[in-house]
Amino acid sequence: MGPTASGKSAIAMELARQLPLEIVSVDSAQVFRGMDIGTAKPTREDRAAVPHHLIDILDPTERYSAARFRADAIRLCKEITARGRVPLLAGGTMLYFKALREGLAELPQADPALRKAIETEARTRGWPALHAELAAADPQTAARLKPNDSQRIQRALEVLRLAGKPMSALLARGSREAPPLRLIQIALLPGERRVLHRRIEARFEAMLRAGLVEEVKALKGRYALEASLPSMRCVGYRQVWEFLEAKFDRAALRDRGVYATRQLAKRQLTWLRATPGLSVFDCLAADAARQVRTSVERELDHRV
């Protein structure tokens, strides 16, 4: 686990070269086909050298969920261990890790008609007004959402209207369903956040040079995409979508993309620092990969 630009993929590959591992992606964006540049998807060479799972399994018009991830991850872990190998779950979607560890509360399934109705309301009234409506009925959920966090406000209102109860009350019940797995939890955290910020800037600029804008143009030409889809709400893709609608210039695209990625990293770090039972390593250390490998080897030897 780790924030964006912490080097998770590189260390996962290094581990897989030394140990009998298969990599299971824990990334809510890498599941989508054609979204390669903006998700920093593993290269074809890496995927040919080491088995990777839960990458390129959906079109960007489809939806994926934490519940589906949990079921897929547990199934894959069983299949990998049956082959005499060890599953390595690597990524930055912290909700997926939480779902795997703890199970999920029973929430109503998505209702496309209700979602579209909420989106229509938002176009008329604005997301801040819907956030205020949510705050009146579910202040605990609203308090952790920004007034323009359209995706999460929409889901919270959807749950409220379908279940007749606040999402916070349903989540508080939880399921606390432990997975049928023995987990070694590793977190890559930066010793200096400023250095991580420089990495984020350099990586987003490299994505733009590699053709991120052209990638989104191609996706729009290939699929019936909408700005409200989860795929196009991903960091980087959302900013490019708005850029293509001529809402701002290329310099602003760079700045907005970097800012959104920094905010994502901040949320990931908050999750990680609140997660118990982690073995923490400085992702900026020159020998980070060696440190992680030594720790994993020790744990695997101990648990055999």
Side-chain angles (χ1 to χ4, degrees), residues 94-110:
M94 300 304 157
L95 178 61
Y96 286 7
F97 281 116
K98 181 179 174 64
L100 179 65
R101 286 192 308 267
E102 302 175 8
L104 290 160
E106 290 293 331
L107 296 177
Q109 291 189 348

Side-chain angles (χ1 to χ4, degrees), residues 192-207:
E192 290 186 64
R193 193 176 295 195
R194 288 177 300 174
V195 178
L196 181 68
H197 286 175
R198 289 199 293 271
R199 281 190 178 187
I200 286 170
E201 291 177 19
R203 189 164 84 156
F204 191 73
E205 289 167 355
M207 288 176 176

Side-chain angles (χ1 to χ4, degrees), residues 229-241:
L229 285 167
S231 60
M232 292 299 106
R233 285 175 171 171
C234 293
V235 168
Y237 289 89
R238 182 172 186 168
Q239 287 71 38
V240 171
W241 184 286

Side-chain angles (χ1 to χ4, degrees), residues 115-142:
R115 287 192 169 188
K116 190 164 286 293
I118 293 171
E119 288 172 5
T120 300
E121 286 182 50
R123 283 194 291 271
T124 303
R125 300 169 54 199
W127 286 108
L130 293 186
H131 181 266
E133 177 184 322
L134 177 65
D138 187 359
Q140 186 175 341
T141 298

Side-chain angles (χ1 to χ4, degrees), residues 10-226:
I11 289 182
M13 282 299 299
E14 180 67 21
L15 289 173
R17 292 188 185 98
Q18 305 291 329
L19 300 167
L21 305 177
E22 296 187 24
I23 297 172
V24 179
S25 171
V26 188
D27 190 302
S28 59
Q30 290 188 358
V31 296
F32 296 116
R33 301 181 188 99
M35 292 174 54
D36 303 331
I37 297 171
T39 65
K41 201 171 284 181
T43 65
R44 290 184 179 181
E45 292 75 17
D46 285 347
R47 292 166 68 180
V50 176
H52 285 68
H53 305 275
L54 298 187
I55 293 176
D56 291 342
I57 61 172
L58 298 173
D59 287 340
T61 51
E62 299 179 86
R63 297 175 185 268
Y64 199 60
S65 68
R68 183 171 170 186
F69 165 80
R70 189 177 197 273
D72 286 345
I74 290 174
R75 171 183 56 79
L76 285 164
C77 287
K78 290 178 178 178
E79 293 173 0
I80 292 166
T81 54
R83 291 193 283 270
R85 301 174 70 80
V86 178
L88 171 60
L89 295 102
T93 302
M94 300 304 157
L95 178 61
Y96 286 7
F97 281 116
K98 181 179 174 64
L100 179 65
R101 286 192 308 267
E102 302 175 8
L104 290 160
E106 290 293 331
L107 296 177
Q109 291 189 348
D111 183 316
L114 179 54
R115 287 192 169 188
K116 190 164 286 293
I118 293 171
E119 288 172 5
T120 300
E121 286 182 50
R123 283 194 291 271
T124 303
R125 300 169 54 199
W127 286 108
L130 293 186
H131 181 266
E133 177 184 322
L134 177 65
D138 187 359
Q140 186 175 341
T141 298
R144 62 182 177 81
L145 303 180
K146 293 184 178 180
N148 287 307
D149 190 343
S150 57
Q151 183 175 2
R152 291 178 177 84
I153 293 170
Q154 180 190 56
R155 177 57 176 157
L157 286 173
E158 178 186 42
V159 169
L160 179 65
R161 296 178 186 182
L162 289 173
K165 296 178 181 179
M167 178 185 280
S168 57
L170 298 176
L171 291 175
R173 283 193 253 168
S175 70
R176 309 301 296 182
E177 181 186 352
L181 307 166
R182 294 181 298 169
L183 300 176
I184 301 170
Q185 298 189 91
I186 296 165
L188 302 175
L189 302 182
E192 290 186 64
R193 193 176 295 195
R194 288 177 300 174
V195 178
L196 181 68
H197 286 175
R198 289 199 293 271
R199 281 190 178 187
I200 286 170
E201 291 177 19
R203 189 164 84 156
F204 191 73
E205 289 167 355
M207 288 176 176
L208 291 176
R209 291 194 300 272
L212 178 57
V213 172
E214 291 70 26
E215 180 174 85
V216 177
K217 284 181 181 177
L219 289 169
K220 291 181 75 172
R222 191 181 313 150
Y223 299 101
L225 295 175
E226 298 177 358

